[in-house]
Amino acid sequence: MQRRHMATDILVVGNGGAGLRAAVAAAEANCRVLLLSKIGADRPNSTAVIAGWGAHVPPQDVESYFRMVVEEGNYLSDQDLAWQYATEVVDRMPELRRFGVEMHLAESTLERPGTARNLWYFPGPPRRLGDAIRSPLRRAASEKGATVLDDTLVTRLLTSDGSVNGATALDLTTGDLVVVSAKAVVLATGGASGLYARQNNPAGTTGDGFGLAYAAGAELVDMEFDTFMLSHQQLQALFTGRLTDEEALSTPGAHHSCGGVKVDLARRSTLPGLYVAGEAAGGTFGSARLGGSAVGDIIVSGCLAGLSAAETARDKPGLQLDQDQVVIERARLAAFFDRDGLPARALAREVRRVMWENMGPVRREAGLQSGLEKLRALRAKAASMSARNPRDLRHAVEVGFMLDVGEAIAVAALRRAESRGTHWRLDHPEPSNTDWLCNLIVRKGADGAPDLTARPVALSRITHAGPCRIGSAWTGGYVGLAA
Ligand SMILES: Cc1cc2nc3c(=O)[nH]c(=O)nc-3n(C[C@H](O)[C@H](O)[C@H](O)COP(=O)(O)OP(=O)(O)OC[C@H]3O[C@@H](n4cnc5c(N)ncnc54)[C@H](O)[C@@H]3O)c2cc1C
């Protein structure tokens, strides 16, 4: 495996809306920016396939929009992040026009059924409406001096003295190992809906950013909340026993990850030097998110993460990479070629089946527990995965991320013994603010297993948690309402 070195101020991982907006912000702050992405501009990521809607918030609506975000998330949002999002989205969305994005206001009921209001609409080619955002932002990033490399899979974050200062990546065309040293890294790798057998995200949405951050020691938050596409009627039937498990598992599947890497207002993770934006970050939306708010969030958080990373890079000398970490990663990747073992694609299918059947829309203690054990058995099998070319190797690396992220989702879903927002525990069908007004934080323990902590939610602005719902506005309604 040949080795190449690159040095930059800011490494951005992911060329969706969040990564591109971060790259533009950091380049405008006069930083050297390198943007790596495993998916090229010719293939869709989640940003490219949006239904076309993005949050529109006039200044006088900030307070009410913030309240809607927190209520929709059933009071688990980090209210400081949600407030920052609601205030910043006012200007950050129309500002997209500065980069050549075409958009107009149109009436929609997307956010909440029965409550029509204006949202930004992005007209684009059929099934690729999000290219209306992606293409101009990509052009802007290049024009401002960012280096954009497609078909490059980031496999591991590199750290020095506890601070993230680079990454290793695999050139999917040549199979070379690319070693990047950077003063700060922005992860904008999207969500993890591709962990489930049934889902509507483009290929490759395998939770890599969650896996990269988790492996490096960062905290993940609200991982039990994934949006599944059951209609209001189906969800009601599921909770009243009129929809069988089998019928629930025949529904379209996973759509969006509400949780992700825990960040602060600077969009910094719990690891110095590591910033996170877009669907890869958790905290803003709590247990469910409003329609159109993902597009608002990728633009707001992307910009903030890019600016904060640039601020960090400004006064920081380049740190020496820990070459031992590079050697270990190179040996790990090369070993896949030396084995004559299981093809990674088959294992990925197994992981997806287990995740859908045990951690999908039908969640009960016994199923979650058995799913967790099955994932651990698959991890043992994954040790013998083999690869014949860089594409196979990509799948093998993704399976590693999927197993870590799947385990994090499973332990959080198992612990949260209530139903709330997008988390449906059929053996605990009520929400409970008395017991569960907390965020579940997962980090990698010293023994390599997930370490779970429950942290009470800080009710910093809305100081009283009101009634909670099961379901989300996006799927057309809620089941029940309880304190
Ligand atoms: C069908 C569909 C319709 C939707 N419609 C809407 C809508 O109308 N309005 C709305 O607000 N939201 C919508 N959403 C949600 C929204 O599209 C996503 O939440 C958002 O686009 C995520 O953007 P992102 O930049 O965070 O990630 P993405 O757009 O998913 O980009 C992630 C990037 O990271 C790269 N990447 C991942 N892992 C690695 C790695 N290891 N190494 C290198 N690169 C990596 C990928 O190549 C990809 O380019 C929709 C989602 C779907 C699936």
Side-chain angles (χ1 to χ4, degrees), residues 137-314:
L137 277 183
R138 189 178 163 102
R139 215 165 26 247
S142 298
E143 280 168 8
K144 289 172 195 300
T147 304
V148 182
L149 290 186
D150 291 333
D151 295 308
T152 311
L153 170 84
V154 172
T155 67
R156 175 189 171 144
L157 295 174
L158 300 171
T159 54
S160 206
D161 295 332
S163 185
V164 174
N165 66 342
T168 53
L170 179 72
D171 181 326
L172 295 170
T173 315
T174 62
D176 289 354
L177 183 74
V178 185
V179 181
V180 182
S181 74
K183 294 177 182 173
V185 175
V186 179
L187 285 179
T189 42
S193 295
L195 254 70
Y196 297 95
R198 298 175 77 93
Q199 49 97 20
N200 75 342
N201 282 215
T205 317
T206 40
D208 299 14
F210 303 157
L212 287 163
Y214 176 77
E219 290 182 354
L220 307 179
V221 65
D222 297 338
M223 293 300 287
E224 65 274 33
F225 298 109
D226 283 328
T227 312
F228 300 110
M229 295 179 283
L230 265 64
S231 68
H232 170 61
Q233 288 75 11
Q234 287 170 322
L235 191 55
Q236 211 157 35
L238 181 66
F239 273 90
T240 50
R242 286 179 289 112
L243 192 75
T244 63
D245 289 6
E246 211 171 47
E247 285 164 339
L249 295 178
S250 310
T251 51
H255 171 66
H256 183 267
S257 306
C258 296
V261 183
K262 186 164 169 47
V263 291
D264 63 14
L265 288 176
R267 307 294 158 157
R268 188 174 35 216
S269 73
T270 51
L271 283 184
L274 182 65
Y275 297 79
V276 190
E279 202 177 325
T284 303
F285 297 116
S287 70
R289 73 159 178 89
L290 292 169
S293 57
V295 164
D297 177 60
I298 60 180
I299 300 308
V300 167
S301 65
C303 182
L304 290 168
L307 290 174
S308 301
E311 186 69 33
T312 294
R314 190 162 299 131

Side-chain angles (χ1 to χ4, degrees), residues 255-454:
H255 171 66
H256 183 267
S257 306
C258 296
V261 183
K262 186 164 169 47
V263 291
D264 63 14
L265 288 176
R267 307 294 158 157
R268 188 174 35 216
S269 73
T270 51
L271 283 184
L274 182 65
Y275 297 79
V276 190
E279 202 177 325
T284 303
F285 297 116
S287 70
R289 73 159 178 89
L290 292 169
S293 57
V295 164
D297 177 60
I298 60 180
I299 300 308
V300 167
S301 65
C303 182
L304 290 168
L307 290 174
S308 301
E311 186 69 33
T312 294
R314 190 162 299 131
D315 307 315
K316 196 173 169 185
L319 292 173
Q320 284 289 7
L321 290 181
D322 177 349
Q323 291 302 329
D324 287 351
Q325 293 177 18
V326 177
V327 169
I328 290 169
E329 183 62 358
R330 185 172 183 273
R332 179 180 84 94
L333 296 175
F336 288 105
F337 291 117
D338 298 338
R339 283 193 289 260
D340 187 18
L342 288 168
R345 278 169 194 260
L347 252 130
R349 267 197 302 277
E350 276 292 287
V351 176
R352 290 191 176 104
R353 191 179 58 75
V354 171
M355 288 300 296
W356 180 241
E357 289 176 2
N358 298 73
M359 271 67 88
V362 180
R363 293 179 172 185
R364 295 186 193 89
E365 182 175 355
L368 289 164
Q369 190 62 52
S370 115
L372 193 52
E373 281 155 23
K374 286 178 192 163
L375 285 184
R376 288 178 176 156
L378 286 173
R379 189 185 287 282
K381 268 183 160 180
S384 64
M385 279 184 301
S386 65
R388 279 169 302 172
N389 53 49
R391 297 276 154 190
D392 288 351
L393 189 48
R394 166 184 165 172
H395 293 296
V397 171
E398 286 176 347
V399 167
F401 294 138
M402 289 167 74
L403 286 166
D404 276 352
V405 177
E407 230 185 301
I409 292 171
V411 293
L414 197 50
R415 174 73 72 89
R416 185 172 287 279
E418 66 155 357
S419 292
R420 174 187 301 252
T422 58
H423 170 64
W424 308 327
R425 278 288 298 264
L426 301 179
D427 50 348
H428 294 278
E430 298 287 333
S432 165
N433 278 343
T434 314
D435 298 328
W436 291 106
L437 201 59
C438 61
N439 300 110
L440 297 180
I441 308 286
V442 189
R443 67 197 298 266
K444 195 167 191 153
D447 59 355
D451 190 16
L452 193 75
T453 320

Side-chain angles (χ1 to χ4, degrees), residues 14-15 17-18 37-39 45-47 50-53 154 208 279 292 294-295:
N15 68 3
S37 185
K38 67 180 181 181
I39 295 171
N45 52 21
S46 297
T47 298
I50 56 168
W53 300 100
V154 172
D208 299 14
E279 202 177 325
V295 164

